[in-house]
Structure formats: structure tokens, C-alpha cells
Amino acid sequence: MSRKSVLCVVGARPNYMKIAPILAAMARSAALQGRLLHTGQHYDESMNDAFFADLDIPRPEANLEVGSGSHAQQTAQVMSRFEPVLDANPPDCVLVVGDVNSTLACALVATKKGIPVVHVEAGLRSFDRAMPEEINRVLTDQISDLLFTTEQDALSNLTREGIDAARVHFVGNVMIDSLLWNLKKAVPASETLGESLANGFGVVTLHRPSNVDDPEILGRLLECLAVISRKLPLVFPLHPRTRAQAERHGLLPQLSSLKFMPPLGYLGLLGLLKEARLVLTDSGGLQEESTALGVPCLTLRDNTERPITISQGTNILVGNDPARILAAFDDVMATGGKRGCVPEYWDGRAAERIVAILADWLDNRA
Ligand code: UD1
């Protein structure tokens, strides 16, 4: 019997570490043939190529080169450029990961063509519709035929929205597959930072519109980080969106204890996370990665779609009020922070489970 073809979609940085283990597991499978398409939502060397190299992701068969734009423009561009590619060589199903604009856009095109959609990392909810990703999550799940979840709570979110539990499978976290597979290859922090931070450091990332688009909020956060850095030096790889906004308004403090750098590749960041005393972030991925590594994480948001990182992991929500962030930071320094444990099935085998279930599911449809 010929292998069923699965067209996997990536578009933006957080997709790459999720797709890499899935493609690797498909390459080992006799039942599935993984194909890869890139929408081009992210395109900078540092946001894109570096990850393909670090994670050993094969070259995509097509790149739609949509680039940046408003949400409507970006989503529309992905949709109209994806359709002819799909028509030219239709797969047995389209697999999307995460919650970026490319995820929803490709799922929508495929489902309207009657091509089954598979969503990996389904059912996460922040219950905050002001987050563009929340809209992408809710809608992608609604139109997906097969849904893979990273934590048990996700199933109740999906059934509440009318999704049949029979379509949902709890498989664990493919992003943690990547983390565990690459831990030994991580670039040592000393190589990235020199010896200057040998006595301990924290890692910061911020890119959410709610934290970086308003110069007043971003300015307050950067001042707060400057205060923290006098107690624990901080390293801050800057997302292009954050750098552009901070530079436009002259907000970047000049301090040797607060080290700004360009976005790091996967192995570079992993090396920093491994050795960090603490992570300050608004990223979804870093909340999970710090939980997997047992590193305390302060999340500069009011909510999270990944509640298991709080109930079981090392994560604490601190919002973006400087007084609250400083108090939480002092507490981590005094107590060492939450210990946490690694959630069920975050064991490096999620992609393997996905491939087994998907192969069976496609077989039964044939
Ligand atoms: C997107 C995802 C977000 C994810 C984040 C990780 C959506 C709705 N958001 O947000 O969930 O956490 O990726 O980075 O899909 N830019 C560059 N070079 C690039 C890419 C972007 O300079 O390679 C700049 C552009 O100015 C662009 C801005 O960053 O306008 C935002 O990029 P965009 O893809 O719209 O969203 P992100 O903020 O990266």
C-alpha cells in the first residue's frame, strides 16, 4: 500500500520546533509521507533559517512568501497563495500546528476543499479574545477533523465548544520532543554570552502586542527589567517587532547588566534556558520549555492558554505591572522559585504517538 501524504504547514518561528519532530517521525514511518510547506509569515534569517538549520528541518517544497502585514492581509495572502499549491498536488490531509495566522489560514483553505485537517496543539484557551492567537485557536479547532492535545484540560475546552471527544487525542507535547532531543546539542551559555554572566543570569523575551505595541507600557517594562538586572543580570534577545518599537521611541536602556541581542537560534536559546536562574516572558512556548527544564518562569501576562505550566510546572502569571513583577522576582530570588514537575506525556514521544494515530485514522477513512 502506498504511503498517505500529509502536507505539514509552517509559517512562523514557534511552528518550527513543533513540526521538526513530526516530520522526523513521519520519515521513519512506513505509513505516512510527510511533506512541508512554508507560508513565509516569518522570513528573517534569525527568525527562520537559523531554526531550519538547528532543527534539521528539510527544505519546504514551497514557500508562499507572504511576509508581514495586517492580520487580514496576512491571512488572506496565505489563503489565496495556498489554494493553487493544494490544487496542484492534493495531499491526503493537511497538518497544522499551534495558533499563528498561517495555522488558521491553511486549515480554512483545506477544509473547504474537503481535505481533512489535523491540528496539533489543539484545545488550548486563554479565554482572552483580544489575543489574535485565541481567535486562531478556536476557529482552527472548529474546522479540524483530528485534534491532538498537549494537556488533559484541553479536552474539556473542546467538548464545551461542541467538538466530539472521539476526534481528540491526548498525545503530549511535540515542542518538548524537540527540547529533549536537542538538549545535548544546545549551545553553552558561555559561548553565547562570554564569561561575563558566569555568576548567573535571567532570560527575557517579550513580543506580544499587549506588552510591546504601546510605548508607555513597553517603556515601563524596560525600566522594570533595568531594576531587576541590577540584582540579576538579564539577557534579552529582541523580537524584531519589539526592537522596532523600542528604537522608534528611544526606550532601550544602556546598561551592561541588561544585555540586548538579536533573536537567537533554537540551540542558542535552549542553551541559555538550560542555565538560566529564571525566565521572564510573554511567550507561550517559553512557559512550557521552562516547565520542562524546571526553571522558574514569570509570565508577563494576565492569562495563559497553558494552565498546566502553572498547576504542575514552574510558571507564575505576573501581568505587566512593575510592582507585581518586582515582588515576584524577589520571591524567586529568595526561595529559588517553584519546583514544579514535568507534565504527563511531555516525554519526547508525542510525535511518535501522533504518527501512529494519524496513520490508523487515514487508513480507516480510505
Ligand atoms: C507571530 C504569531 C505569534 C507568535 C510569534 C512568534 C500570529 C497572530 N502571531 O507574531 O503567535 O508568538 O509570531 O514570533 O500569527 N517581523 C520581522 N521579521 C520576521 C517576522 C516578523 O521583522 O521574520 C516583524 C515585522 O515587522 C512584522 C512583525 O515582526 O510586522 C510581526 O510579525 P507577525 O508575523 O505579524 O507576528 P509576530 O508578532 O511575529
Side-chain angles (χ1 to χ4, degrees):
M1 213 177 52
S2 68
R3 288 158 93 199
K4 297 276 190 319
S5 75
V6 181
L7 184 57
C8 300
V9 172
V10 290
R13 186 170 60 172
N15 296 158
Y16 310 140
M17 39 294 227
K18 296 171 192 167
I19 224 67
I22 296 175
L23 286 171
M26 285 181 187
R28 291 192 302 269
S29 155
L32 300 181
Q33 184 215 356
R35 294 166 47 192
L36 181 64
L37 174 130
H38 198 317
T39 67
Q41 177 174 343
H42 283 175
Y43 43 86
D44 281 355
E45 214 284 327
S46 62
M47 299 290 284
N48 185 63
D49 308 38
F51 287 80
F52 274 70
D54 280 359
L55 291 159
D56 215 6
I57 303 174
R59 209 183 142 79
E61 63 184 44
N63 188 323
L64 307 180
E65 295 181 352
V66 298
S68 304
S70 69
H71 285 270
Q73 284 166 348
Q74 196 172 57
T75 309
Q77 285 293 334
V78 174
M79 289 181 70
S80 58
R81 294 183 192 194
F82 185 43
E83 182 170 38
V85 174
L86 212 47
D87 284 341
N89 186 7
D92 290 297
C93 66
V94 166
L95 181 148
V96 295
V97 295
D99 55 15
V100 302
N101 287 342
S102 302
T103 308
L104 172 61
C106 291
L108 198 47
V109 172
T111 195
K112 290 210 170 176
K113 290 192 166 293
I115 297 176
V117 174
V118 180
H119 187 204
V120 174
E121 201 188 79
L124 297 181
R125 296 290 180 267
S126 65
F127 304 102
D128 175 4
R129 295 264 171 129
M131 267 181 98
E133 293 83 0
E134 183 74 353
I135 311 284
N136 295 340
R137 292 180 199 116
V138 170
L139 297 180
T140 304
D141 285 340
Q142 277 298 326
I143 57 178
S144 291
D145 297 275
L146 188 63
L147 300 91
F148 291 111
T149 60
T150 53
E151 55 178 271
Q152 300 276 21
D153 276 358
L155 177 61
S156 50
N157 293 334
L158 293 169
T159 48
R160 198 180 322 106
E161 292 169 14
I163 292 164
D164 182 357
R167 287 194 277 139
V168 182
H169 298 265
F170 169 51
V171 290
N173 195 326
V174 285
M175 207 179 55
I176 304 306
D177 287 5
S178 271
L179 180 142
L180 295 173
W181 296 5
N182 286 291
L183 216 43
K184 284 210 186 90
K185 286 196 265 168
V187 179
S190 59
E191 223 169 275
T192 307
L193 304 175
E195 296 304 327
S196 61
L197 301 183
N199 291 327
F201 60 89
V203 175
V204 184
T205 78
L206 292 177
H207 74 283
R208 297 256 158 242
S210 57
N211 282 334
V212 309
D213 281 3
D214 178 340
E216 216 168 285
I217 295 176
L218 179 59
R220 266 204 311 268
L221 286 174
L222 288 167
E223 272 173 37
C224 172
L225 293 171
V227 171
I228 290 178
S229 77
R230 295 195 176 95
K231 302 182 189 177
L232 177 71
L234 297 176
V235 191
F236 189 165
L238 280 171
H239 186 287
R241 174 189 202 112
T242 312
R243 178 178 289 280
Q245 183 73 343
E247 284 179 349
R248 188 174 312 127
H249 298 278
L251 299 173
L252 291 182
Q254 304 289 320
L255 282 174
S256 58
S257 55
L258 179 51
K259 188 177 169 65
F260 296 105
M261 45 183 11
L264 288 168
Y266 183 72
L267 297 175
L269 188 70
L270 190 55
L272 292 191
L273 294 180
K274 232 171 104 176
E275 294 178 43
R277 292 201 27 210
L278 139 117
V279 172
L280 294 132
T281 191
D282 60 10
S283 146
L286 283 185
Q287 293 172 53
E288 296 187 335
E289 288 163 339
S290 48
T291 277
L293 291 167
V295 176
C297 177
L298 301 181
T299 295
L300 278 62
R301 289 173 46 189
D302 293 322
N303 52 55
T304 179
E305 60 287 340
R306 294 163 161 88
I308 204 165
T309 60
I310 295 178
S311 60
Q312 296 187 21
T314 57
N315 192 17
I316 301 175
L317 292 182
V318 293
N320 63 12
D321 168 33
R324 202 166 145 209
I325 299 168
L326 286 169
F329 167 78
D330 286 338
D331 191 63
V332 170
M333 287 298 101
T335 63
K338 280 170 81 176
R339 293 275 169 268
C341 62
V342 177
E344 185 184 4
Y345 276 4
W346 291 23
D347 59 357
R349 301 184 56 190
E352 203 180 292
R353 292 185 194 101
I354 288 173
V355 166
I357 295 167
L358 179 55
D360 256 14
W361 186 80
L362 284 171
D363 229 18
N364 290 332
R365 287 173 63 87

